[in-house]
Amino acid sequence: MRYELYYWPSIQGRGEYVRLALEEAGASYRDVAREPGGMSAMTKMLEAKSGTPPFAPPFLKAGKLVIGQVANILFYLGPRHDLVPKSEAAQLWVHQLQLTVTDFVVEVHDTHHPLGPTLYYEDQRAPAKKRTEEFWRERVPKFLGYFERILSDNGPYITGRRLTYVDLSLFQNVEGLRYAFPQRMKAFERRIPCLIALHDRVAARPNIAAYLSSERRIPFNEDDIFRRYKPLDA
């Protein structure tokens, strides 16, 4: 099967968590909105008045299925591409961890848009700085500390010896924090050695290494979830 991934064409964003899974699996897929006419195709599907239209990108078309929400897409892809253990209990556990990753991504976004995404960053600079201080004081230790504890118990991957899609997502979180908050992340990394080792292990996997060095990997930029605002990293 050749999948169709629908996401904004100029950012990694939430779509990157799906791309990493597809790339690791060696799955055939089209990144539709990056193709000529792709944005129109994506808009048409979002505005569909029948069927099961998704709320927002990313969403994945797999045959006749249209699947929205990152964690839901990965829950579908995982057992089909050996990115999750085989037991139902383990699959639910991995899904639970991915939902926690989703919560963390929202927290990252709110460091630069705490008052809402429809306002420019310049219109919420002071609240953003305050939110960022709380993010690094309370939320980063809570979230990354949680995953660090699981890895230290289970390692080398989150559920043991085999990679899952959550490991790919944790890699992306480390990459994003390094880009958005280079100084703060450099200081914090000594507290999460297992998570950093996981990041490096994922980056060295052949399919992921090839993807990261390809044109398919969109560079981080200031329109993305992980944004580098120097005042927030001071």
Side-chain angles (χ1 to χ4, degrees), residues 105-224:
V105 172
V106 173
E107 303 254 359
V108 173
H109 172 271
D110 287 352
T111 62
H112 49 78
H113 279 75
L115 301 183
T118 59
L119 298 175
Y120 290 111
Y121 164 69
E122 289 72 17
D123 297 327
Q124 47 191 316
R125 188 183 297 265
K129 186 170 179 59
K130 185 174 181 180
R131 182 61 179 263
T132 298
E133 293 300 328
E134 193 269 346
F135 174 73
W136 279 98
R137 183 178 61 253
E138 302 290 342
R139 308 307 285 165
V140 172
K142 185 177 180 68
F143 277 94
L144 298 194
Y146 170 72
F147 288 113
E148 176 72 13
R149 186 172 75 250
I150 295 171
L151 280 166
S152 68
D153 290 340
N154 294 346
Y157 294 109
I158 200 75
T159 63
R161 299 196 60 80
R162 300 187 66 177
L163 174 131
T164 69
Y165 58 76
V166 170
D167 298 292
L168 301 170
S169 295
L170 293 174
F171 160 84
Q172 178 66 6
N173 283 353
V174 171
E175 283 282 288
L177 290 173
R178 283 178 170 178
Y179 173 81
F181 302 100
Q183 296 180 43
R184 293 176 188 261
M185 189 58 176
K186 184 177 180 180
F188 189 79
E189 286 188 15
R190 65 179 180 271
R191 298 171 58 178
I192 49 169
C194 295
L195 196 50
I196 297 306
L198 171 69
H199 166 275
D200 296 345
R201 197 172 291 117
V202 169
R205 294 180 68 87
N207 285 359
I208 296 299
Y211 171 61
L212 296 177
S213 63
S214 74
E215 293 183 357
R216 297 190 304 280
R217 173 75 165 183
I218 302 167
F220 287 107
N221 59 66
E222 298 314 290
D223 294 322
D224 213 334

Side-chain angles (χ1 to χ4, degrees), residues 6-9 32-48 59:
Y6 291 81
Y7 195 65
W8 310 114
V32 176
R34 297 176 69 180
E35 300 174 356
M39 282 294 293
S40 296
M42 184 167 76
T43 300
K44 183 177 180 180
M45 292 187 69
L46 288 168
E47 295 177 349
F59 55 92

